[in-house]
Amino acid sequence: MSEFAAASCPFSGMREYPIKRANPLDPAPELAELRADEPFAKVRLWTGQDAWLVTRYDDVRKLLTDPRVSADNTLPNFPGATPGMLAVRTKYPSFITMDVPEHTQFRRMLTGEFAVKKIEALKPRIQQVVDERIDAILAKGPPSDIVRDLTLALPITMICDLLGVPYEDQDFFHAKADLITDSRTPPDVSSKAIQELCDVYIAGLIEKKNQHPTDDLLSRLVVNQLRPGHLTPIQLIGIARLLLIAGHDTSAHTMSLGILALLENPEQKRALIDDPTLINSTVEEILRYVDVTHNGRRRIATADIEMGDHVIRKGEGIIAHNAAANRDSDVFPDADKFRIHRDARHHIAFGYGVHQCLGQPLARAELQIVIGTLFRRIPSLALAAPVSSLEFKETSFVYGVERIPVTWES
Amino acid sequence: MRVIIEQAKCCGAGQCVLAAPDIFDQREDDGIVILLQENPSEESRADVLQAIKVCPALAIRLEG
Protein backbone atom coordinates (compact mmCIF):
# COMPACT_ATOMS: atom_id res chain seq x y z
CA MET A 1 0.00 0.00 0.00
CA SER A 2 1.49 3.36 -0.99
CA GLU A 3 1.99 6.26 1.37
CA PHE A 4 -0.66 8.23 -0.49
CA ALA A 5 -3.26 5.50 -0.41
CA ALA A 6 -2.71 4.93 3.29
CA ALA A 7 -2.59 8.59 4.27
CA SER A 8 -5.23 10.21 2.13
CA CYS A 9 -8.14 12.06 3.65
CA PRO A 10 -7.82 11.15 7.35
CA PHE A 11 -11.40 12.22 8.19
CA SER A 12 -13.59 10.32 5.77
CA GLY A 13 -11.02 7.87 4.49
CA MET A 14 -12.19 8.95 1.05
CA ARG A 15 -9.92 10.40 -1.62
CA GLU A 16 -11.11 13.59 -3.21
CA TYR A 17 -11.28 13.79 -6.99
CA PRO A 18 -9.98 15.32 -9.23
CA ILE A 19 -6.47 14.92 -7.83
CA LYS A 20 -4.12 17.87 -8.36
CA ARG A 21 -1.07 17.60 -10.57
CA ALA A 22 2.46 18.15 -9.28
CA ASN A 23 3.99 18.89 -12.71
CA PRO A 24 2.06 20.57 -15.49
CA LEU A 25 2.90 17.97 -18.17
CA ASP A 26 2.35 14.90 -15.99
CA PRO A 27 -0.79 13.39 -14.47
CA ALA A 28 -1.01 13.63 -10.67
CA PRO A 29 1.67 11.32 -9.17
CA GLU A 30 -0.99 9.69 -6.97
CA LEU A 31 -2.54 8.23 -10.13
CA ALA A 32 0.65 6.19 -10.72
CA GLU A 33 0.49 4.94 -7.11
CA LEU A 34 -3.14 3.95 -7.53
CA ARG A 35 -2.41 2.22 -10.85
CA ALA A 36 0.26 0.15 -9.07
CA ASP A 37 -1.45 -0.52 -5.72
CA GLU A 38 -5.15 0.11 -6.05
CA PRO A 39 -6.32 -0.09 -9.67
CA PHE A 40 -9.96 0.21 -8.56
CA ALA A 41 -10.11 3.05 -6.03
CA LYS A 42 -13.16 4.71 -4.52
CA VAL A 43 -13.06 8.52 -4.81
CA ARG A 44 -15.34 11.34 -3.74
CA LEU A 45 -16.32 13.92 -6.36
CA TRP A 46 -16.98 17.63 -5.89
CA THR A 47 -20.72 16.81 -5.94
CA GLY A 48 -20.30 14.59 -2.83
CA GLN A 49 -20.90 11.46 -4.94
CA ASP A 50 -18.56 8.47 -4.79
CA ALA A 51 -17.22 6.75 -7.89
CA TRP A 52 -14.71 4.08 -8.89
CA LEU A 53 -11.48 5.49 -10.28
CA VAL A 54 -9.94 3.01 -12.75
CA THR A 55 -6.35 3.67 -13.84
CA ARG A 56 -4.91 0.62 -15.65
CA TYR A 57 -4.93 0.54 -19.45
CA ASP A 58 -6.49 -2.92 -19.81
CA ASP A 59 -9.20 -2.23 -17.21
CA VAL A 60 -10.07 1.15 -18.75
CA ARG A 61 -10.39 -0.40 -22.23
CA LYS A 62 -12.48 -3.30 -20.91
CA LEU A 63 -14.92 -1.05 -19.08
CA LEU A 64 -15.29 1.40 -21.96
CA THR A 65 -16.38 -1.46 -24.25
CA ASP A 66 -18.57 -3.27 -21.67
CA PRO A 67 -22.29 -3.18 -22.59
CA ARG A 68 -23.12 -3.03 -18.85
CA VAL A 69 -21.38 0.35 -18.66
CA SER A 70 -23.56 3.32 -19.61
CA ALA A 71 -22.72 6.86 -20.71
CA ASP A 72 -26.25 8.09 -19.88
CA ASN A 73 -25.60 11.08 -17.62
CA THR A 74 -29.26 11.39 -16.68
CA LEU A 75 -29.10 8.15 -14.64
CA PRO A 76 -29.17 8.75 -10.86
CA ASN A 77 -25.67 8.90 -9.33
CA PHE A 78 -23.96 9.51 -12.68
CA PRO A 79 -20.58 11.09 -11.80
CA GLY A 80 -20.93 14.79 -12.73
CA ALA A 81 -17.96 16.63 -14.24
CA THR A 82 -18.63 20.37 -13.82
CA PRO A 83 -21.69 22.38 -12.73
CA GLY A 84 -22.01 23.61 -16.32
CA MET A 85 -22.01 20.12 -17.71
CA LEU A 86 -24.51 18.96 -15.11
CA ALA A 87 -26.77 21.87 -16.03
CA VAL A 88 -26.71 20.99 -19.72
CA ARG A 89 -27.31 17.27 -19.34
CA THR A 90 -31.07 17.07 -19.56
CA LYS A 91 -31.74 20.14 -21.62
CA TYR A 92 -29.58 19.43 -24.67
CA PRO A 93 -28.76 15.74 -24.71
CA SER A 94 -26.22 14.73 -27.29
CA PHE A 95 -25.11 11.35 -28.54
CA ILE A 96 -22.04 11.23 -26.28
CA THR A 97 -24.37 10.57 -23.36
CA MET A 98 -26.54 8.00 -25.15
CA ASP A 99 -26.08 4.25 -25.26
CA VAL A 100 -26.37 1.75 -28.11
CA PRO A 101 -28.63 1.55 -30.16
CA GLU A 102 -29.86 5.17 -29.83
CA HIS A 103 -26.23 6.38 -29.83
CA THR A 104 -25.50 4.58 -33.10
CA GLN A 105 -28.46 6.19 -34.84
CA PHE A 106 -27.35 9.74 -33.97
CA ARG A 107 -23.61 9.24 -34.35
CA ARG A 108 -24.08 7.85 -37.87
CA MET A 109 -25.59 11.15 -38.96
CA LEU A 110 -22.06 12.55 -38.52
CA THR A 111 -19.53 9.77 -39.09
CA GLY A 112 -19.39 10.33 -42.86
CA GLU A 113 -18.47 14.00 -42.28
CA PHE A 114 -15.34 12.98 -40.34
CA ALA A 115 -14.26 9.98 -42.43
CA VAL A 116 -10.51 9.74 -42.99
CA LYS A 117 -10.74 10.58 -46.73
CA LYS A 118 -13.05 13.56 -46.12
CA ILE A 119 -10.50 15.00 -43.70
CA GLU A 120 -7.66 14.21 -46.10
CA ALA A 121 -9.31 16.60 -48.55
CA LEU A 122 -9.22 19.37 -45.91
CA LYS A 123 -5.44 19.17 -45.48
CA PRO A 124 -4.57 21.91 -48.02
CA ARG A 125 -6.92 24.28 -46.17
CA ILE A 126 -5.35 23.38 -42.80
CA GLN A 127 -1.89 23.95 -44.28
CA GLN A 128 -2.99 27.32 -45.67
CA VAL A 129 -4.30 28.49 -42.26
CA VAL A 130 -1.12 27.31 -40.51
CA ASP A 131 1.13 28.99 -43.10
CA GLU A 132 -0.75 32.28 -42.84
CA ARG A 133 -0.51 32.22 -39.06
CA ILE A 134 3.22 31.43 -39.06
CA ASP A 135 3.82 34.12 -41.73
CA ALA A 136 2.20 36.61 -39.38
CA ILE A 137 4.22 35.40 -36.37
CA LEU A 138 7.48 35.72 -38.35
CA ALA A 139 6.53 39.11 -39.80
CA LYS A 140 5.87 40.50 -36.33
CA GLY A 141 9.09 39.00 -34.93
CA PRO A 142 9.76 37.59 -31.46
CA PRO A 143 8.32 37.23 -28.91
CA SER A 144 5.00 35.55 -29.65
CA ASP A 145 2.31 33.75 -27.69
CA ILE A 146 1.92 30.47 -29.55
CA VAL A 147 -1.52 29.80 -28.02
CA ARG A 148 -3.08 33.09 -29.08
CA ASP A 149 -1.22 33.40 -32.39
CA LEU A 150 -1.41 29.81 -33.62
CA THR A 151 -2.88 26.88 -31.71
CA LEU A 152 -6.18 28.41 -30.65
CA ALA A 153 -6.78 30.01 -34.04
CA LEU A 154 -6.37 26.88 -36.18
CA PRO A 155 -9.06 24.59 -34.71
CA ILE A 156 -11.52 27.47 -34.35
CA THR A 157 -11.02 28.37 -38.01
CA MET A 158 -11.47 24.75 -39.06
CA ILE A 159 -14.59 24.14 -36.98
CA CYS A 160 -16.10 27.40 -38.28
CA ASP A 161 -15.34 26.26 -41.85
CA LEU A 162 -16.79 22.82 -41.29
CA LEU A 163 -19.96 23.80 -39.42
CA GLY A 164 -20.57 27.00 -41.36
CA VAL A 165 -20.23 29.24 -38.30
CA PRO A 166 -19.13 32.85 -38.93
CA TYR A 167 -15.47 33.44 -37.89
CA GLU A 168 -16.34 36.77 -36.31
CA ASP A 169 -18.38 34.95 -33.65
CA GLN A 170 -15.42 32.95 -32.34
CA ASP A 171 -14.67 35.21 -29.35
CA PHE A 172 -18.28 34.83 -28.25
CA PHE A 173 -18.55 31.05 -28.40
CA HIS A 174 -15.01 30.50 -27.15
CA ALA A 175 -15.80 32.57 -24.04
CA LYS A 176 -19.02 30.63 -23.44
CA ALA A 177 -17.23 27.28 -23.91
CA ASP A 178 -14.62 28.33 -21.35
CA LEU A 179 -17.32 29.11 -18.77
CA ILE A 180 -19.21 25.85 -19.35
CA THR A 181 -16.15 23.60 -19.06
CA ASP A 182 -14.58 25.28 -16.00
CA SER A 183 -15.45 23.60 -12.70
CA ARG A 184 -15.12 26.94 -10.83
CA THR A 185 -17.99 28.53 -12.77
CA PRO A 186 -21.03 28.92 -10.49
CA PRO A 187 -24.09 26.96 -11.74
CA ASP A 188 -26.17 30.08 -12.44
CA VAL A 189 -23.38 31.56 -14.59
CA SER A 190 -22.99 28.23 -16.44
CA SER A 191 -26.71 28.02 -17.07
CA LYS A 192 -26.76 31.54 -18.46
CA ALA A 193 -23.78 30.80 -20.71
CA ILE A 194 -25.49 27.64 -22.00
CA GLN A 195 -28.70 29.52 -22.62
CA GLU A 196 -26.91 32.29 -24.56
CA LEU A 197 -24.91 29.78 -26.55
CA CYS A 198 -27.70 27.27 -27.27
CA ASP A 199 -31.11 28.96 -27.09
CA VAL A 200 -30.01 32.20 -28.66
CA TYR A 201 -26.85 31.78 -30.70
CA ILE A 202 -27.01 28.20 -32.06
CA ALA A 203 -30.81 28.27 -32.42
CA GLY A 204 -30.45 31.46 -34.48
CA LEU A 205 -27.75 29.93 -36.61
CA ILE A 206 -29.90 26.87 -37.33
CA GLU A 207 -32.81 29.09 -38.28
CA LYS A 208 -30.57 30.95 -40.75
CA LYS A 209 -29.38 27.64 -42.24
CA ASN A 210 -32.99 26.53 -42.55
CA GLN A 211 -33.87 29.64 -44.54
CA HIS A 212 -30.68 29.64 -46.64
CA PRO A 213 -28.84 26.32 -46.55
CA THR A 214 -25.20 26.58 -47.59
CA ASP A 215 -22.45 24.01 -48.20
CA ASP A 216 -21.59 23.13 -44.62
CA LEU A 217 -22.23 20.47 -41.99
CA LEU A 218 -24.94 22.36 -40.09
CA SER A 219 -26.87 23.07 -43.29
CA ARG A 220 -26.63 19.41 -44.27
CA LEU A 221 -27.99 18.39 -40.86
CA VAL A 222 -30.85 20.87 -41.26
CA VAL A 223 -31.74 19.66 -44.76
CA ASN A 224 -31.11 15.90 -44.36
CA GLN A 225 -32.05 15.30 -40.72
CA LEU A 226 -34.08 18.16 -39.22
CA ARG A 227 -36.52 18.79 -42.08
CA PRO A 228 -37.49 15.11 -42.55
CA GLY A 229 -37.89 14.80 -38.77
CA HIS A 230 -34.93 12.53 -37.98
CA LEU A 231 -33.76 15.17 -35.49
CA THR A 232 -35.74 17.55 -33.29
CA PRO A 233 -34.56 21.18 -33.04
CA ILE A 234 -33.33 20.51 -29.47
CA GLN A 235 -31.37 17.45 -30.63
CA LEU A 236 -29.77 19.45 -33.43
CA ILE A 237 -28.79 22.20 -30.97
CA GLY A 238 -27.23 19.50 -28.75
CA ILE A 239 -25.16 18.17 -31.65
CA ALA A 240 -24.09 21.64 -32.80
CA ARG A 241 -23.09 22.61 -29.24
CA LEU A 242 -21.04 19.42 -28.87
CA LEU A 243 -19.20 19.91 -32.18
CA LEU A 244 -18.58 23.60 -31.54
CA ILE A 245 -17.17 23.11 -28.03
CA ALA A 246 -15.47 19.72 -28.37
CA GLY A 247 -14.13 20.64 -31.79
CA HIS A 248 -11.84 23.45 -30.82
CA ASP A 249 -10.75 23.41 -27.17
CA THR A 250 -9.42 19.86 -27.09
CA SER A 251 -7.45 20.20 -30.34
CA ALA A 252 -6.07 23.62 -29.40
CA HIS A 253 -4.81 22.50 -26.01
CA THR A 254 -3.35 19.24 -27.33
CA MET A 255 -1.35 21.29 -29.86
CA SER A 256 -0.21 23.78 -27.21
CA LEU A 257 0.83 21.12 -24.70
CA GLY A 258 2.47 19.08 -27.48
CA ILE A 259 4.57 22.07 -28.52
CA LEU A 260 5.46 22.59 -24.86
CA ALA A 261 6.48 18.92 -24.51
CA LEU A 262 8.78 19.26 -27.53
CA LEU A 263 10.29 22.51 -26.22
CA GLU A 264 10.85 20.86 -22.82
CA ASN A 265 12.52 17.84 -24.45
CA PRO A 266 15.07 19.49 -26.79
CA GLU A 267 16.63 16.19 -27.91
CA GLN A 268 13.16 15.04 -29.09
CA LYS A 269 12.57 18.37 -30.81
CA ARG A 270 15.96 18.03 -32.54
CA ALA A 271 15.10 14.47 -33.66
CA LEU A 272 11.86 15.69 -35.28
CA ILE A 273 13.59 18.61 -37.02
CA ASP A 274 16.31 16.25 -38.32
CA ASP A 275 13.76 13.71 -39.54
CA PRO A 276 10.38 15.25 -40.47
CA THR A 277 9.01 11.79 -41.33
CA LEU A 278 8.70 11.29 -37.56
CA ILE A 279 5.73 13.67 -37.49
CA ASN A 280 3.05 10.96 -37.33
CA SER A 281 4.67 9.07 -34.44
CA THR A 282 5.38 12.44 -32.75
CA VAL A 283 1.68 13.31 -32.88
CA GLU A 284 0.63 9.90 -31.48
CA GLU A 285 3.17 10.33 -28.68
CA ILE A 286 1.86 13.84 -27.95
CA LEU A 287 -1.68 12.45 -27.76
CA ARG A 288 -0.57 9.71 -25.39
CA TYR A 289 1.57 11.99 -23.24
CA VAL A 290 -0.44 15.21 -22.82
CA ASP A 291 -3.98 14.03 -22.30
CA VAL A 292 -6.25 17.08 -22.26
CA THR A 293 -9.28 15.07 -21.08
CA HIS A 294 -7.45 14.82 -17.78
CA ASN A 295 -10.40 14.00 -15.58
CA GLY A 296 -11.23 10.76 -17.34
CA ARG A 297 -14.26 9.27 -19.06
CA ARG A 298 -17.37 9.20 -16.88
CA ARG A 299 -19.70 6.23 -16.86
CA ILE A 300 -22.13 4.31 -14.67
CA ALA A 301 -22.66 0.55 -14.18
CA THR A 302 -26.10 -0.75 -15.21
CA ALA A 303 -25.41 -4.23 -13.74
CA ASP A 304 -22.89 -5.76 -11.33
CA ILE A 305 -19.51 -6.09 -13.07
CA GLU A 306 -16.79 -8.39 -11.79
CA MET A 307 -13.29 -7.12 -12.54
CA GLY A 308 -10.71 -9.46 -10.99
CA ASP A 309 -11.12 -9.18 -7.20
CA HIS A 310 -13.50 -6.24 -7.48
CA VAL A 311 -17.19 -5.93 -8.11
CA ILE A 312 -18.55 -2.68 -9.49
CA ARG A 313 -22.18 -2.69 -8.37
CA LYS A 314 -25.13 -1.64 -10.49
CA GLY A 315 -25.67 2.12 -10.09
CA GLU A 316 -22.09 2.92 -9.10
CA GLY A 317 -20.24 5.66 -10.97
CA ILE A 318 -17.04 4.93 -12.88
CA ILE A 319 -14.21 7.24 -13.92
CA ALA A 320 -12.23 5.39 -16.57
CA HIS A 321 -9.02 7.41 -16.46
CA ASN A 322 -7.65 7.38 -19.98
CA ALA A 323 -4.80 9.77 -19.12
CA ALA A 324 -3.59 7.45 -16.34
CA ALA A 325 -4.02 4.46 -18.69
CA ASN A 326 -1.84 6.17 -21.29
CA ARG A 327 0.97 6.30 -18.71
CA ASP A 328 0.72 2.57 -17.91
CA SER A 329 4.27 1.23 -18.28
CA ASP A 330 2.98 -2.32 -18.78
CA VAL A 331 1.66 -1.11 -22.13
CA PHE A 332 3.98 1.81 -22.99
CA PRO A 333 7.49 1.01 -21.67
CA ASP A 334 8.95 3.88 -19.63
CA ALA A 335 5.58 5.57 -20.04
CA ASP A 336 6.46 8.79 -18.20
CA LYS A 337 9.13 9.59 -20.79
CA PHE A 338 8.20 11.62 -23.88
CA ARG A 339 9.71 9.62 -26.76
CA ILE A 340 8.67 10.47 -30.32
CA HIS A 341 10.15 7.28 -31.82
CA ARG A 342 7.86 4.94 -29.90
CA ASP A 343 4.76 3.35 -31.45
CA ALA A 344 1.99 4.90 -29.35
CA ARG A 345 -0.87 4.42 -31.84
CA HIS A 346 -2.89 2.33 -29.40
CA HIS A 347 -3.13 5.18 -26.87
CA ILE A 348 -6.64 6.06 -25.73
CA ALA A 349 -6.40 9.85 -25.68
CA PHE A 350 -9.56 9.92 -27.81
CA GLY A 351 -11.28 7.51 -25.44
CA TYR A 352 -12.21 3.95 -26.33
CA GLY A 353 -15.40 2.11 -27.20
CA VAL A 354 -18.20 3.39 -29.42
CA HIS A 355 -17.89 6.89 -27.95
CA GLN A 356 -14.32 7.27 -29.14
CA CYS A 357 -13.83 10.80 -30.49
CA LEU A 358 -15.61 11.33 -33.78
CA GLY A 359 -13.33 14.21 -34.77
CA GLN A 360 -10.05 12.35 -34.34
CA PRO A 361 -9.10 12.31 -38.05
CA LEU A 362 -9.46 16.12 -38.06
CA ALA A 363 -7.54 16.51 -34.78
CA ARG A 364 -4.72 14.31 -36.15
CA ALA A 365 -4.52 16.22 -39.43
CA GLU A 366 -4.39 19.55 -37.58
CA LEU A 367 -1.74 18.32 -35.15
CA GLN A 368 0.46 16.80 -37.86
CA ILE A 369 0.36 19.94 -39.98
CA VAL A 370 0.72 22.53 -37.21
CA ILE A 371 3.55 20.77 -35.33
CA GLY A 372 5.40 19.69 -38.47
CA THR A 373 5.19 23.14 -40.06
CA LEU A 374 6.03 25.10 -36.91
CA PHE A 375 9.32 23.28 -36.22
CA ARG A 376 10.26 23.15 -39.90
CA ARG A 377 9.80 26.88 -40.33
CA ILE A 378 11.07 28.03 -36.92
CA PRO A 379 13.58 25.37 -35.79
CA SER A 380 15.13 27.69 -33.19
CA LEU A 381 11.79 28.10 -31.39
CA ALA A 382 12.35 28.23 -27.61
CA LEU A 383 10.39 29.10 -24.49
CA ALA A 384 10.73 32.75 -23.44
CA ALA A 385 9.65 31.99 -19.85
CA PRO A 386 10.13 29.00 -17.56
CA VAL A 387 7.34 26.40 -17.57
CA SER A 388 6.86 27.05 -13.83
CA SER A 389 5.70 30.60 -14.64
CA LEU A 390 2.98 29.49 -17.08
CA GLU A 391 -0.69 29.23 -16.16
CA PHE A 392 -2.42 25.87 -16.71
CA LYS A 393 -6.14 25.14 -16.93
CA GLU A 394 -6.20 22.74 -14.01
CA THR A 395 -9.83 23.42 -13.10
CA SER A 396 -11.21 23.01 -16.60
CA PHE A 397 -12.78 19.83 -17.95
CA VAL A 398 -10.33 20.27 -20.83
CA TYR A 399 -6.78 20.69 -19.54
CA GLY A 400 -4.55 23.19 -21.28
CA VAL A 401 -2.13 26.07 -20.99
CA GLU A 402 -3.27 29.70 -21.14
CA ARG A 403 -0.26 31.06 -23.07
CA ILE A 404 3.15 29.91 -24.27
CA PRO A 405 5.57 32.83 -24.68
CA VAL A 406 8.19 31.85 -27.25
CA THR A 407 11.17 33.40 -28.94
CA TRP A 408 13.48 32.42 -31.82
CA GLU A 409 16.53 33.56 -33.75
CA SER A 410 15.18 36.11 -36.22
CA MET B 1 -6.03 -15.39 -43.07
CA ARG B 2 -9.62 -14.17 -43.24
CA VAL B 3 -10.78 -10.76 -42.00
CA ILE B 4 -14.30 -10.46 -40.61
CA ILE B 5 -15.99 -7.13 -39.95
CA GLU B 6 -19.26 -6.37 -38.20
CA GLN B 7 -20.67 -3.23 -39.79
CA ALA B 8 -23.46 -3.06 -37.21
CA LYS B 9 -20.90 -2.54 -34.45
CA CYS B 10 -18.75 0.00 -36.37
CA CYS B 11 -18.75 3.56 -34.97
CA GLY B 12 -16.89 5.09 -37.91
CA ALA B 13 -13.81 6.20 -35.98
CA GLY B 14 -11.63 5.46 -39.02
CA GLN B 15 -8.86 3.81 -37.00
CA CYS B 16 -8.72 0.73 -39.27
CA VAL B 17 -8.33 2.89 -42.38
CA LEU B 18 -5.30 4.57 -40.82
CA ALA B 19 -3.80 1.24 -39.72
CA ALA B 20 -4.38 -0.71 -42.96
CA PRO B 21 -5.61 1.49 -45.83
CA ASP B 22 -5.31 -1.37 -48.36
CA ILE B 23 -7.66 -3.59 -46.38
CA PHE B 24 -10.24 -1.18 -44.94
CA ASP B 25 -12.15 1.82 -46.25
CA GLN B 26 -15.18 3.82 -45.12
CA ARG B 27 -18.59 4.19 -46.80
CA GLU B 28 -18.88 7.68 -48.20
CA ASP B 29 -22.28 8.56 -46.75
CA ASP B 30 -21.92 7.36 -43.16
CA GLY B 31 -18.25 6.51 -42.63
CA ILE B 32 -18.96 2.86 -41.79
CA VAL B 33 -16.19 0.33 -42.44
CA ILE B 34 -15.92 -1.44 -45.82
CA LEU B 35 -13.71 -4.48 -46.24
CA LEU B 36 -11.57 -4.13 -49.37
CA GLN B 37 -9.86 -7.53 -49.07
CA GLU B 38 -11.40 -10.42 -47.22
CA ASN B 39 -8.31 -12.62 -47.62
CA PRO B 40 -5.31 -10.28 -47.56
CA SER B 41 -1.79 -11.56 -48.11
CA GLU B 42 0.36 -12.66 -45.20
CA GLU B 43 2.46 -9.44 -45.47
CA SER B 44 -0.58 -7.47 -44.27
CA ARG B 45 -0.94 -9.43 -41.03
CA ALA B 46 0.80 -6.84 -38.81
CA ASP B 47 -1.36 -4.02 -40.20
CA VAL B 48 -4.57 -6.02 -39.75
CA LEU B 49 -3.59 -6.88 -36.17
CA GLN B 50 -2.91 -3.17 -35.55
CA ALA B 51 -6.38 -2.34 -36.94
CA ILE B 52 -7.95 -4.90 -34.60
CA LYS B 53 -5.99 -3.48 -31.67
CA VAL B 54 -7.09 0.12 -32.23
CA CYS B 55 -10.71 -0.48 -33.34
CA PRO B 56 -12.69 1.12 -30.48
CA ALA B 57 -15.89 -0.77 -31.34
CA LEU B 58 -14.28 -4.26 -31.44
CA ALA B 59 -15.80 -4.69 -34.89
CA ILE B 60 -12.92 -6.56 -36.58
CA ARG B 61 -11.84 -10.20 -36.18
CA LEU B 62 -9.27 -12.40 -37.84
CA GLU B 63 -9.57 -16.08 -38.64
CA GLY B 64 -6.52 -18.12 -39.57
Side-chain angles (χ1 to χ4, degrees):
Chain A
M1 178 71 62
S2 72
E3 191 186 335
F4 165 73
S8 69
C9 208
F11 304 109
S12 64
M14 191 61 86
R15 261 171 226 99
E16 296 202 1
Y17 189 84
I19 306 168
K20 271 184 107 60
R21 292 177 191 245
N23 301 307
L25 284 175
D26 291 318
E30 289 86 348
L31 289 168
E33 295 179 11
L34 290 174
R35 197 172 50 230
D37 300 334
E38 209 181 336
F40 293 85
K42 269 280 173 77
V43 292
R44 180 148 296 168
L45 308 181
W46 62 277
T47 49
Q49 295 163 287
D50 297 343
W52 290 101
L53 177 63
V54 185
T55 42
R56 285 186 186 165
Y57 179 89
D58 287 343
D59 295 333
V60 167
R61 291 220 318 180
K62 252 184 223 152
L63 284 169
L64 289 178
T65 49
D66 192 314
R68 297 165 297 179
V69 171
S70 169
D72 181 355
N73 64 357
T74 61
L75 289 174
N77 199 39
F78 189 91
T82 69
M85 297 174 86
L86 267 186
V88 81
R89 66 180 177 168
T90 45
K91 194 159 182 203
Y92 302 105
S94 72
F95 56 93
I96 58 166
T97 55
M98 292 173 188
D99 293 324
V100 173
E102 198 188 13
H103 166 266
T104 315
Q105 179 202 335
F106 285 99
R107 180 168 165 130
R108 285 192 178 186
M109 293 178 186
L110 294 166
T111 36
E113 299 276 354
F114 292 93
V116 171
K117 282 182 181 162
K118 271 266 174 70
I119 300 303
E120 200 61 33
L122 290 179
K123 282 186 172 175
R125 170 67 178 149
I126 300 173
Q127 186 69 57
Q128 180 199 359
V129 175
V130 169
D131 281 334
E132 285 171 5
R133 286 280 162 179
I134 295 178
D135 287 345
I137 288 170
L138 287 170
K140 199 174 127 261
S144 161
D145 169 14
I146 265 317
V147 176
R148 180 198 56 209
D149 296 341
L150 182 66
T151 56
L152 199 54
L154 172 66
I156 285 194
T157 305
M158 291 313 297
I159 208 72
C160 284
D161 260 15
L162 208 65
L163 292 180
V165 171
Y167 299 111
E168 53 271 26
D169 297 343
Q170 59 180 262
D171 289 343
F172 168 81
F173 67 75
H174 181 62
K176 301 299 165 201
D178 259 2
L179 282 174
I180 296 166
T181 51
D182 195 324
S183 61
R184 293 168 306 184
T185 309
D188 55 324
V189 178
S190 284
S191 295
K192 187 160 174 280
I194 289 160
Q195 199 194 1
E196 287 169 349
L197 180 68
C198 295
D199 295 346
V200 182
Y201 181 71
I202 295 176
L205 206 57
I206 289 169
E207 185 47 39
K208 270 185 220 150
K209 305 279 177 198
N210 195 21
Q211 284 169 13
H212 305 287
T214 37
D215 183 20
D216 54 61
L217 197 160
L218 273 187
S219 295
R220 284 192 286 279
L221 285 174
V222 167
V223 172
N224 301 330
Q225 310 293 347
L226 181 74
R227 286 184 185 168
H230 306 315
L231 278 178
T232 65
I234 289 288
Q235 285 168 337
L236 181 51
I237 290 174
I239 290 175
R241 171 187 62 88
L242 175 68
L243 295 178
L244 199 54
I245 293 184
H248 76 269
D249 253 11
T250 44
S251 305
H253 295 315
T254 306
M255 286 171 207
S256 304
L257 294 169
I259 291 166
L260 202 53
L262 282 162
L263 295 176
E264 281 291 276
N265 290 273
E267 74 296 344
Q268 301 296 303
K269 179 189 111 171
R270 175 48 52 198
L272 174 63
I273 291 167
D274 289 348
D275 181 3
T277 66
L278 286 170
I279 188 61
N280 289 4
S281 68
T282 301
V283 164
E284 297 311 312
E285 177 66 349
I286 286 170
L287 287 161
R288 180 192 75 82
Y289 187 78
V290 304
D291 211 319
V292 293
T293 57
H294 62 149
N295 287 337
R297 294 323 206 243
R298 285 151 196 263
R299 297 288 189 272
I300 192 162
T302 55
D304 290 358
I305 303 168
E306 271 184 49
M307 296 282 291
D309 299 336
H310 298 270
V311 182
I312 298 176
R313 299 278 173 205
K314 180 180 174 178
E316 288 185 326
I318 300 166
I319 296 171
H321 207 300
N322 46 302
N326 280 337
R327 296 290 188 107
D328 189 336
S329 284
D330 286 348
V331 179
F332 304 99
D334 229 349
D336 286 328
K337 296 273 179 3
F338 179 69
R339 294 286 176 264
I340 65 169
H341 291 85
R342 77 163 87 226
D343 179 5
R345 283 180 294 175
H346 49 300
H347 66 74
I348 46 173
F350 292 115
Y352 196 62
V354 293
H355 291 283
Q356 193 180 62
C357 177
L358 177 73
Q360 57 181 302
L362 177 60
R364 280 199 166 91
E366 290 178 353
L367 277 158
Q368 287 162 3
I369 291 171
V370 80
I371 304 263
T373 309
L374 178 65
F375 288 99
R376 175 171 54 77
R377 294 193 58 188
I378 320 182
S380 63
L381 195 77
L383 277 177
V387 168
S388 58
S389 70
L390 305 183
E391 200 184 325
F392 291 86
K393 293 166 74 81
E394 177 99 22
T395 58
S396 176
F397 188 65
V398 182
Y399 185 65
V401 58
E402 298 285 0
R403 37 192 288 281
I404 306 179
V406 290
T407 187
W408 62 91
E409 293 160 21
S410 57
Chain B
M1 154 164 90
R2 180 166 166 248
V3 182
I4 298 152
I5 53 167
E6 289 180 73
Q7 286 186 326
K9 277 191 176 179
C10 176
C11 65
Q15 296 279 286
C16 56
V17 184
L18 291 173
D22 297 337
I23 320 285
F24 303 101
D25 198 356
Q26 286 171 288
R27 278 201 308 240
E28 215 164 89
D29 56 338
D30 61 4
I32 297 311
V33 60
I34 306 170
L35 191 55
L36 298 176
Q37 298 183 51
E38 197 183 326
N39 300 103
S41 69
E42 207 42 49
E43 292 101 74
S44 311
R45 184 176 287 271
D47 290 344
V48 174
L49 289 175
Q50 176 71 23
I52 291 172
K53 191 168 165 186
V54 293
C55 171
L58 312 178
I60 311 168
R61 281 185 297 127
L62 188 60
E63 273 180 7

